[in-house]
PDB file of all heavy atoms in Angstrom:
ATOM      1  N   VAL E 141     107.774  80.418  48.198  1.00 98.00           N
ATOM      2  CA  VAL E 141     108.985  81.217  48.032  1.00 98.00           C
ATOM      3  C   VAL E 141     109.023  81.802  46.623  1.00 98.00           C
ATOM      4  O   VAL E 141     108.868  81.081  45.638  1.00 98.00           O
ATOM      5  CB  VAL E 141     110.254  80.369  48.275  1.00 98.00           C
ATOM      6  CG1 VAL E 141     111.515  81.209  48.060  1.00 98.00           C
ATOM      7  CG2 VAL E 141     110.258  79.774  49.668  1.00 98.00           C
ATOM      8  N   LEU E 142     109.230  83.103  46.541  1.00 98.00           N
ATOM      9  CA  LEU E 142     109.508  83.774  45.259  1.00 98.00           C
ATOM     10  C   LEU E 142     111.016  83.992  45.185  1.00 98.00           C
ATOM     11  O   LEU E 142     111.584  84.707  46.015  1.00 98.00           O
ATOM     12  CB  LEU E 142     108.776  85.121  45.170  1.00 98.00           C
ATOM     13  CG  LEU E 142     107.268  85.116  45.393  1.00 98.00           C
ATOM     14  CD1 LEU E 142     106.698  86.517  45.094  1.00 98.00           C
ATOM     15  CD2 LEU E 142     106.555  84.071  44.555  1.00 98.00           C
ATOM     16  N   THR E 143     111.659  83.383  44.200  1.00 98.00           N
ATOM     17  CA  THR E 143     113.124  83.412  44.109  1.00 98.00           C
ATOM     18  C   THR E 143     113.594  84.491  43.127  1.00 98.00           C
ATOM     19  O   THR E 143     112.781  85.182  42.507  1.00 98.00           O
ATOM     20  CB  THR E 143     113.647  82.041  43.641  1.00 98.00           C
ATOM     21  OG1 THR E 143     113.192  81.833  42.317  1.00 98.00           O
ATOM     22  CG2 THR E 143     113.148  80.922  44.537  1.00 98.00           C
ATOM     23  N   ASN E 144     114.912  84.601  42.954  1.00 97.00           N
ATOM     24  CA  ASN E 144     115.417  85.642  42.053  1.00 97.00           C
ATOM     25  C   ASN E 144     116.760  85.329  41.387  1.00 97.00           C
ATOM     26  O   ASN E 144     117.165  86.033  40.477  1.00 97.00           O
ATOM     27  CB  ASN E 144     115.532  86.985  42.797  1.00 97.00           C
ATOM     28  CG  ASN E 144     116.350  86.866  44.061  1.00 97.00           C
ATOM     29  OD1 ASN E 144     117.253  86.035  44.139  1.00 97.00           O
ATOM     30  ND2 ASN E 144     116.030  87.666  45.059  1.00 97.00           N
ATOM     31  N   ASP E 145     117.440  84.294  41.810  1.00 97.00           N
ATOM     32  CA  ASP E 145     118.789  84.058  41.276  1.00 97.00           C
ATOM     33  C   ASP E 145     118.772  82.789  40.414  1.00 97.00           C
ATOM     34  O   ASP E 145     118.560  81.691  40.911  1.00 97.00           O
ATOM     35  CB  ASP E 145     119.763  83.892  42.459  1.00 97.00           C
ATOM     36  CG  ASP E 145     121.212  83.752  42.012  1.00 97.00           C
ATOM     37  OD1 ASP E 145     121.459  83.466  40.828  1.00 97.00           O
ATOM     38  OD2 ASP E 145     122.108  83.910  42.862  1.00 97.00           O
ATOM     39  N   PRO E 146     118.994  82.919  39.092  1.00 96.00           N
ATOM     40  CA  PRO E 146     118.846  81.758  38.207  1.00 96.00           C
ATOM     41  C   PRO E 146     119.940  80.704  38.371  1.00 96.00           C
ATOM     42  O   PRO E 146     119.752  79.572  37.926  1.00 96.00           O
ATOM     43  CB  PRO E 146     118.886  82.372  36.810  1.00 96.00           C
ATOM     44  CG  PRO E 146     119.576  83.675  36.973  1.00 96.00           C
ATOM     45  CD  PRO E 146     119.285  84.152  38.356  1.00 96.00           C
ATOM     46  N   HIS E 147     121.072  81.065  38.951  1.00 96.00           N
ATOM     47  CA  HIS E 147     122.160  80.099  39.153  1.00 96.00           C
ATOM     48  C   HIS E 147     122.902  80.507  40.419  1.00 96.00           C
ATOM     49  O   HIS E 147     123.985  81.087  40.352  1.00 96.00           O
ATOM     50  CB  HIS E 147     123.103  80.047  37.950  1.00 96.00           C
ATOM     51  CG  HIS E 147     123.195  81.329  37.199  1.00 96.00           C
ATOM     52  ND1 HIS E 147     123.314  82.549  37.829  1.00 96.00           N
ATOM     53  CD2 HIS E 147     123.159  81.597  35.872  1.00 96.00           C
ATOM     54  CE1 HIS E 147     123.368  83.497  36.919  1.00 96.00           C
ATOM     55  NE2 HIS E 147     123.260  82.956  35.721  1.00 96.00           N
ATOM     56  N   PRO E 148     122.299  80.204  41.548  1.00 97.00           N
ATOM     57  CA  PRO E 148     122.825  80.704  42.828  1.00 97.00           C
ATOM     58  C   PRO E 148     124.138  80.038  43.227  1.00 97.00           C
ATOM     59  O   PRO E 148     124.314  78.846  42.958  1.00 97.00           O
ATOM     60  CB  PRO E 148     121.721  80.326  43.812  1.00 97.00           C
ATOM     61  CG  PRO E 148     121.039  79.135  43.225  1.00 97.00           C
ATOM     62  CD  PRO E 148     121.135  79.324  41.733  1.00 97.00           C
ATOM     63  N   PRO E 149     125.057  80.779  43.857  1.00 97.00           N
ATOM     64  CA  PRO E 149     124.989  82.219  44.067  1.00 97.00           C
ATOM     65  C   PRO E 149     125.538  82.968  42.859  1.00 97.00           C
ATOM     66  O   PRO E 149     126.474  82.497  42.207  1.00 97.00           O
ATOM     67  CB  PRO E 149     125.918  82.425  45.270  1.00 97.00           C
ATOM     68  CG  PRO E 149     126.965  81.363  45.104  1.00 97.00           C
ATOM     69  CD  PRO E 149     126.245  80.182  44.507  1.00 97.00           C
ATOM     70  N   SER E 150     124.963  84.122  42.578  1.00 96.00           N
ATOM     71  CA  SER E 150     125.482  84.960  41.501  1.00 96.00           C
ATOM     72  C   SER E 150     125.036  86.395  41.737  1.00 96.00           C
ATOM     73  O   SER E 150     124.272  86.670  42.662  1.00 96.00           O
ATOM     74  CB  SER E 150     124.984  84.470  40.146  1.00 96.00           C
ATOM     75  OG  SER E 150     123.668  84.920  39.888  1.00 96.00           O
ATOM     76  N   GLU E 151     125.494  87.270  40.872  1.00 95.00           N
ATOM     77  CA  GLU E 151     125.064  88.671  40.941  1.00 95.00           C
ATOM     78  C   GLU E 151     123.920  88.953  39.976  1.00 95.00           C
ATOM     79  O   GLU E 151     123.466  90.091  39.847  1.00 95.00           O
ATOM     80  CB  GLU E 151     126.239  89.611  40.622  1.00 95.00           C
ATOM     81  CG  GLU E 151     127.407  89.512  41.590  1.00 95.00           C
ATOM     82  CD  GLU E 151     127.107  90.094  42.969  1.00 95.00           C
ATOM     83  OE1 GLU E 151     125.959  90.485  43.224  1.00 95.00           O
ATOM     84  OE2 GLU E 151     128.049  90.126  43.798  1.00 95.00           O
ATOM     85  N   VAL E 152     123.435  87.922  39.297  1.00 95.00           N
ATOM     86  CA  VAL E 152     122.324  88.090  38.357  1.00 95.00           C
ATOM     87  C   VAL E 152     121.015  87.943  39.132  1.00 95.00           C
ATOM     88  O   VAL E 152     120.784  86.920  39.771  1.00 95.00           O
ATOM     89  CB  VAL E 152     122.396  87.037  37.243  1.00 95.00           C
ATOM     90  CG1 VAL E 152     121.236  87.205  36.273  1.00 95.00           C
ATOM     91  CG2 VAL E 152     123.729  87.124  36.518  1.00 95.00           C
ATOM     92  N   MET E 153     120.203  88.975  39.089  1.00 95.00           N
ATOM     93  CA  MET E 153     118.949  88.950  39.823  1.00 95.00           C
ATOM     94  C   MET E 153     117.788  89.082  38.847  1.00 95.00           C
ATOM     95  O   MET E 153     117.711  90.074  38.118  1.00 95.00           O
ATOM     96  CB  MET E 153     118.889  90.122  40.809  1.00 95.00           C
ATOM     97  CG  MET E 153     119.847  90.043  41.981  1.00 95.00           C
ATOM     98  SD  MET E 153     119.273  88.872  43.246  1.00 95.00           S
ATOM     99  CE  MET E 153     120.568  87.622  43.073  1.00 95.00           C
ATOM    100  N   ARG E 154     116.925  88.084  38.807  1.00 97.00           N
ATOM    101  CA  ARG E 154     115.745  88.158  37.956  1.00 97.00           C
ATOM    102  C   ARG E 154     114.511  87.909  38.798  1.00 97.00           C
ATOM    103  O   ARG E 154     114.136  86.765  39.065  1.00 97.00           O
ATOM    104  CB  ARG E 154     115.837  87.117  36.852  1.00 97.00           C
ATOM    105  CG  ARG E 154     116.999  87.390  35.924  1.00 97.00           C
ATOM    106  CD  ARG E 154     116.820  86.668  34.635  1.00 97.00           C
ATOM    107  NE  ARG E 154     117.867  87.063  33.716  1.00 97.00           N
ATOM    108  CZ  ARG E 154     118.026  86.522  32.525  1.00 97.00           C
ATOM    109  NH1 ARG E 154     117.179  85.573  32.111  1.00 97.00           N
ATOM    110  NH2 ARG E 154     118.982  86.922  31.725  1.00 97.00           N
ATOM    111  N   GLY E 155     113.879  88.986  39.195  1.00 98.00           N
ATOM    112  CA  GLY E 155     112.726  88.879  40.079  1.00 98.00           C
ATOM    113  C   GLY E 155     111.528  88.250  39.388  1.00 98.00           C
ATOM    114  O   GLY E 155     111.427  88.221  38.161  1.00 98.00           O
ATOM    115  N   VAL E 156     110.636  87.758  40.187  1.00 98.00           N
ATOM    116  CA  VAL E 156     109.388  87.150  39.736  1.00 98.00           C
ATOM    117  C   VAL E 156     108.340  88.248  39.592  1.00 98.00           C
ATOM    118  O   VAL E 156     108.371  89.234  40.319  1.00 98.00           O
ATOM    119  CB  VAL E 156     108.954  86.121  40.805  1.00 98.00           C
ATOM    120  CG1 VAL E 156     107.486  85.778  40.711  1.00 98.00           C
ATOM    121  CG2 VAL E 156     109.848  84.890  40.729  1.00 98.00           C
ATOM    122  N   THR E 157     107.402  88.063  38.646  1.00 98.00           N
ATOM    123  CA  THR E 157     106.271  88.986  38.522  1.00 98.00           C
ATOM    124  C   THR E 157     104.964  88.221  38.661  1.00 98.00           C
ATOM    125  O   THR E 157     104.711  87.264  37.925  1.00 98.00           O
ATOM    126  CB  THR E 157     106.297  89.700  37.155  1.00 98.00           C
ATOM    127  OG1 THR E 157     107.530  90.421  37.029  1.00 98.00           O
ATOM    128  CG2 THR E 157     105.127  90.664  37.024  1.00 98.00           C
ATOM    129  N   LEU E 158     104.153  88.629  39.616  1.00 98.00           N
ATOM    130  CA  LEU E 158     102.810  88.069  39.767  1.00 98.00           C
ATOM    131  C   LEU E 158     101.808  89.161  39.402  1.00 98.00           C
ATOM    132  O   LEU E 158     101.753  90.204  40.064  1.00 98.00           O
ATOM    133  CB  LEU E 158     102.553  87.617  41.206  1.00 98.00           C
ATOM    134  CG  LEU E 158     103.564  86.680  41.864  1.00 98.00           C
ATOM    135  CD1 LEU E 158     103.038  86.241  43.242  1.00 98.00           C
ATOM    136  CD2 LEU E 158     103.855  85.472  41.011  1.00 98.00           C
ATOM    137  N   GLU E 159     101.035  88.927  38.367  1.00 98.00           N
ATOM    138  CA  GLU E 159     100.041  89.933  37.974  1.00 98.00           C
ATOM    139  C   GLU E 159      98.835  89.921  38.922  1.00 98.00           C
ATOM    140  O   GLU E 159      98.718  89.059  39.784  1.00 98.00           O
ATOM    141  CB  GLU E 159      99.608  89.687  36.526  1.00 98.00           C
ATOM    142  CG  GLU E 159     100.770  89.873  35.536  1.00 98.00           C
ATOM    143  CD  GLU E 159     100.389  89.644  34.086  1.00 98.00           C
ATOM    144  OE1 GLU E 159      99.206  89.319  33.838  1.00 98.00           O
ATOM    145  OE2 GLU E 159     101.261  89.794  33.217  1.00 98.00           O
ATOM    146  N   ASP E 160      97.936  90.860  38.713  1.00 98.00           N
ATOM    147  CA  ASP E 160      96.779  90.986  39.607  1.00 98.00           C
ATOM    148  C   ASP E 160      95.991  89.674  39.714  1.00 98.00           C
ATOM    149  O   ASP E 160      95.840  88.939  38.732  1.00 98.00           O
ATOM    150  CB  ASP E 160      95.819  92.057  39.076  1.00 98.00           C
ATOM    151  CG  ASP E 160      96.421  93.451  39.088  1.00 98.00           C
ATOM    152  OD1 ASP E 160      97.526  93.644  39.647  1.00 98.00           O
ATOM    153  OD2 ASP E 160      95.781  94.352  38.511  1.00 98.00           O
ATOM    154  N   TYR E 161      95.479  89.435  40.884  1.00 98.00           N
ATOM    155  CA  TYR E 161      94.578  88.300  41.166  1.00 98.00           C
ATOM    156  C   TYR E 161      95.242  86.924  41.059  1.00 98.00           C
ATOM    157  O   TYR E 161      94.559  85.906  41.069  1.00 98.00           O
ATOM    158  CB  TYR E 161      93.331  88.329  40.260  1.00 98.00           C
ATOM    159  CG  TYR E 161      92.414  89.477  40.548  1.00 98.00           C
ATOM    160  CD1 TYR E 161      92.389  90.601  39.721  1.00 98.00           C
ATOM    161  CD2 TYR E 161      91.593  89.457  41.672  1.00 98.00           C
ATOM    162  CE1 TYR E 161      91.552  91.673  39.989  1.00 98.00           C
ATOM    163  CE2 TYR E 161      90.748  90.528  41.945  1.00 98.00           C
ATOM    164  CZ  TYR E 161      90.733  91.629  41.098  1.00 98.00           C
ATOM    165  OH  TYR E 161      89.914  92.691  41.382  1.00 98.00           O
ATOM    166  N   VAL E 162      96.533  86.878  40.965  1.00 98.00           N
ATOM    167  CA  VAL E 162      97.211  85.573  40.989  1.00 98.00           C
ATOM    168  C   VAL E 162      97.081  84.949  42.381  1.00 98.00           C
ATOM    169  O   VAL E 162      97.101  85.653  43.394  1.00 98.00           O
ATOM    170  CB  VAL E 162      98.702  85.748  40.607  1.00 98.00           C
ATOM    171  CG1 VAL E 162      99.540  84.555  41.048  1.00 98.00           C
ATOM    172  CG2 VAL E 162      98.821  85.989  39.108  1.00 98.00           C
ATOM    173  N   ALA E 163      96.948  83.627  42.410  1.00 98.00           N
ATOM    174  CA  ALA E 163      96.985  82.890  43.685  1.00 98.00           C
ATOM    175  C   ALA E 163      98.040  81.797  43.578  1.00 98.00           C
ATOM    176  O   ALA E 163      98.050  81.016  42.623  1.00 98.00           O
ATOM    177  CB  ALA E 163      95.623  82.285  44.006  1.00 98.00           C
ATOM    178  N   VAL E 164      98.921  81.742  44.555  1.00 98.00           N
ATOM    179  CA  VAL E 164      99.967  80.719  44.585  1.00 98.00           C
ATOM    180  C   VAL E 164      99.724  79.864  45.831  1.00 98.00           C
ATOM    181  O   VAL E 164      99.815  80.349  46.963  1.00 98.00           O
ATOM    182  CB  VAL E 164     101.373  81.343  44.639  1.00 98.00           C
ATOM    183  CG1 VAL E 164     102.439  80.254  44.595  1.00 98.00           C
ATOM    184  CG2 VAL E 164     101.574  82.327  43.494  1.00 98.00           C
ATOM    185  N   ALA E 165      99.408  78.584  45.607  1.00 98.00           N
ATOM    186  CA  ALA E 165      99.004  77.732  46.728  1.00 98.00           C
ATOM    187  C   ALA E 165     100.220  77.210  47.504  1.00 98.00           C
ATOM    188  O   ALA E 165     101.372  77.344  47.080  1.00 98.00           O
ATOM    189  CB  ALA E 165      98.133  76.587  46.237  1.00 98.00           C
ATOM    190  N   THR E 166      99.936  76.571  48.596  1.00 98.00           N
ATOM    191  CA  THR E 166     100.900  76.234  49.645  1.00 98.00           C
ATOM    192  C   THR E 166     102.132  75.482  49.150  1.00 98.00           C
ATOM    193  O   THR E 166     102.033  74.563  48.359  1.00 98.00           O
ATOM    194  CB  THR E 166     100.181  75.393  50.717  1.00 98.00           C
ATOM    195  OG1 THR E 166      99.083  76.163  51.205  1.00 98.00           O
ATOM    196  CG2 THR E 166     101.086  75.046  51.866  1.00 98.00           C
ATOM    197  N   MET E 167     103.266  75.865  49.663  1.00 98.00           N
ATOM    198  CA  MET E 167     104.542  75.184  49.464  1.00 98.00           C
ATOM    199  C   MET E 167     104.955  75.130  47.995  1.00 98.00           C
ATOM    200  O   MET E 167     105.529  74.129  47.542  1.00 98.00           O
ATOM    201  CB  MET E 167     104.490  73.780  50.060  1.00 98.00           C
ATOM    202  CG  MET E 167     105.840  73.311  50.537  1.00 98.00           C
ATOM    203  SD  MET E 167     105.826  71.708  51.346  1.00 98.00           S
ATOM    204  CE  MET E 167     105.210  72.110  52.964  1.00 98.00           C
ATOM    205  N   SER E 168     104.661  76.185  47.282  1.00 98.00           N
ATOM    206  CA  SER E 168     105.110  76.280  45.897  1.00 98.00           C
ATOM    207  C   SER E 168     106.259  77.264  45.783  1.00 98.00           C
ATOM    208  O   SER E 168     106.435  78.143  46.617  1.00 98.00           O
ATOM    209  CB  SER E 168     103.961  76.700  44.982  1.00 98.00           C
ATOM    210  OG  SER E 168     103.079  75.605  44.812  1.00 98.00           O
ATOM    211  N   LEU E 169     106.983  77.088  44.711  1.00 98.00           N
ATOM    212  CA  LEU E 169     108.196  77.840  44.459  1.00 98.00           C
ATOM    213  C   LEU E 169     108.034  78.485  43.088  1.00 98.00           C
ATOM    214  O   LEU E 169     107.613  77.825  42.138  1.00 98.00           O
ATOM    215  CB  LEU E 169     109.323  76.818  44.433  1.00 98.00           C
ATOM    216  CG  LEU E 169     110.735  77.267  44.196  1.00 98.00           C
ATOM    217  CD1 LEU E 169     111.187  78.173  45.316  1.00 98.00           C
ATOM    218  CD2 LEU E 169     111.625  76.029  44.146  1.00 98.00           C
ATOM    219  N   VAL E 170     108.362  79.749  42.977  1.00 98.00           N
ATOM    220  CA  VAL E 170     108.354  80.398  41.667  1.00 98.00           C
ATOM    221  C   VAL E 170     109.799  80.740  41.330  1.00 98.00           C
ATOM    222  O   VAL E 170     110.481  81.454  42.077  1.00 98.00           O
ATOM    223  CB  VAL E 170     107.469  81.653  41.656  1.00 98.00           C
ATOM    224  CG1 VAL E 170     107.399  82.231  40.251  1.00 98.00           C
ATOM    225  CG2 VAL E 170     106.063  81.315  42.156  1.00 98.00           C
ATOM    226  N   LEU E 171     110.261  80.201  40.207  1.00 98.00           N
ATOM    227  CA  LEU E 171     111.679  80.328  39.858  1.00 98.00           C
ATOM    228  C   LEU E 171     111.975  81.688  39.244  1.00 98.00           C
ATOM    229  O   LEU E 171     111.075  82.414  38.815  1.00 98.00           O
ATOM    230  CB  LEU E 171     112.070  79.170  38.952  1.00 98.00           C
ATOM    231  CG  LEU E 171     112.057  77.835  39.726  1.00 98.00           C
ATOM    232  CD1 LEU E 171     112.233  76.650  38.791  1.00 98.00           C
ATOM    233  CD2 LEU E 171     113.157  77.821  40.788  1.00 98.00           C
ATOM    234  N   PRO E 172     113.257  82.050  39.188  1.00 98.00           N
ATOM    235  CA  PRO E 172     113.647  83.413  38.817  1.00 98.00           C
ATOM    236  C   PRO E 172     113.133  83.846  37.451  1.00 98.00           C
ATOM    237  O   PRO E 172     113.181  83.081  36.484  1.00 98.00           O
ATOM    238  CB  PRO E 172     115.180  83.332  38.828  1.00 98.00           C
ATOM    239  CG  PRO E 172     115.484  82.301  39.846  1.00 98.00           C
ATOM    240  CD  PRO E 172     114.411  81.259  39.640  1.00 98.00           C
ATOM    241  N   GLY E 173     112.648  85.077  37.387  1.00 98.00           N
ATOM    242  CA  GLY E 173     112.265  85.671  36.126  1.00 98.00           C
ATOM    243  C   GLY E 173     110.911  85.256  35.607  1.00 98.00           C
ATOM    244  O   GLY E 173     110.460  85.778  34.575  1.00 98.00           O
ATOM    245  N   VAL E 174     110.222  84.369  36.286  1.00 98.00           N
ATOM    246  CA  VAL E 174     108.919  83.893  35.808  1.00 98.00           C
ATOM    247  C   VAL E 174     107.858  84.980  35.974  1.00 98.00           C
ATOM    248  O   VAL E 174     107.848  85.698  36.976  1.00 98.00           O
ATOM    249  CB  VAL E 174     108.507  82.614  36.572  1.00 98.00           C
ATOM    250  CG1 VAL E 174     107.039  82.274  36.337  1.00 98.00           C
ATOM    251  CG2 VAL E 174     109.407  81.448  36.178  1.00 98.00           C
ATOM    252  N   ARG E 175     106.965  85.069  34.980  1.00 98.00           N
ATOM    253  CA  ARG E 175     105.809  85.956  35.062  1.00 98.00           C
ATOM    254  C   ARG E 175     104.547  85.102  35.100  1.00 98.00           C
ATOM    255  O   ARG E 175     104.362  84.230  34.242  1.00 98.00           O
ATOM    256  CB  ARG E 175     105.755  86.899  33.848  1.00 98.00           C
ATOM    257  CG  ARG E 175     104.438  87.675  33.717  1.00 98.00           C
ATOM    258  CD  ARG E 175     104.442  88.631  32.536  1.00 98.00           C
ATOM    259  NE  ARG E 175     105.278  89.769  32.798  1.00 98.00           N
ATOM    260  CZ  ARG E 175     104.840  90.948  33.277  1.00 98.00           C
ATOM    261  NH1 ARG E 175     103.545  91.140  33.508  1.00 98.00           N
ATOM    262  NH2 ARG E 175     105.683  91.926  33.503  1.00 98.00           N
ATOM    263  N   ILE E 176     103.701  85.356  36.082  1.00 98.00           N
ATOM    264  CA  ILE E 176     102.459  84.591  36.216  1.00 98.00           C
ATOM    265  C   ILE E 176     101.306  85.531  35.882  1.00 98.00           C
ATOM    266  O   ILE E 176     101.148  86.594  36.495  1.00 98.00           O
ATOM    267  CB  ILE E 176     102.327  84.000  37.625  1.00 98.00           C
ATOM    268  CG1 ILE E 176     103.555  83.098  37.893  1.00 98.00           C
ATOM    269  CG2 ILE E 176     101.031  83.214  37.768  1.00 98.00           C
ATOM    270  CD1 ILE E 176     103.491  82.315  39.176  1.00 98.00           C
ATOM    271  N   GLY E 177     100.522  85.113  34.909  1.00 98.00           N
ATOM    272  CA  GLY E 177      99.508  86.003  34.338  1.00 98.00           C
ATOM    273  C   GLY E 177      98.311  86.233  35.251  1.00 98.00           C
ATOM    274  O   GLY E 177      98.006  85.432  36.137  1.00 98.00           O
ATOM    275  N   ARG E 178      97.607  87.301  34.955  1.00 98.00           N
ATOM    276  CA  ARG E 178      96.465  87.746  35.758  1.00 98.00           C
ATOM    277  C   ARG E 178      95.491  86.598  36.024  1.00 98.00           C
ATOM    278  O   ARG E 178      95.064  85.901  35.104  1.00 98.00           O
ATOM    279  CB  ARG E 178      95.763  88.861  34.988  1.00 98.00           C
ATOM    280  CG  ARG E 178      94.668  89.566  35.735  1.00 98.00           C
ATOM    281  CD  ARG E 178      94.095  90.690  34.870  1.00 98.00           C
ATOM    282  NE  ARG E 178      93.338  91.656  35.654  1.00 98.00           N
ATOM    283  CZ  ARG E 178      92.016  91.564  35.876  1.00 98.00           C
ATOM    284  NH1 ARG E 178      91.315  90.575  35.368  1.00 98.00           N
ATOM    285  NH2 ARG E 178      91.397  92.493  36.597  1.00 98.00           N
ATOM    286  N   GLY E 179      95.138  86.434  37.278  1.00 98.00           N
ATOM    287  CA  GLY E 179      94.122  85.462  37.647  1.00 98.00           C
ATOM    288  C   GLY E 179      94.569  84.023  37.625  1.00 98.00           C
ATOM    289  O   GLY E 179      93.766  83.122  37.882  1.00 98.00           O
ATOM    290  N   ALA E 180      95.822  83.751  37.338  1.00 98.00           N
ATOM    291  CA  ALA E 180      96.285  82.361  37.287  1.00 98.00           C
ATOM    292  C   ALA E 180      96.387  81.774  38.689  1.00 98.00           C
ATOM    293  O   ALA E 180      96.504  82.498  39.686  1.00 98.00           O
ATOM    294  CB  ALA E 180      97.639  82.288  36.585  1.00 98.00           C
TER     295      ALA E 180
END
Side-chain angles (χ1 to χ4, degrees):
Chain E
V141 178
L142 305 187
T143 66
N144 54 30
D145 185 343
H147 29 44
S150 81
E151 298 289 6
V152 180
M153 291 283 113
R154 296 199 174 175
V156 160
T157 301
L158 308 186
E159 296 180 359
D160 295 352
Y161 292 103
V162 161
V164 183
T166 302
M167 210 176 282
S168 286
L169 180 63
V170 185
L171 291 171
V174 167
R175 169 178 287 265
I176 302 187
R178 188 178 198 269

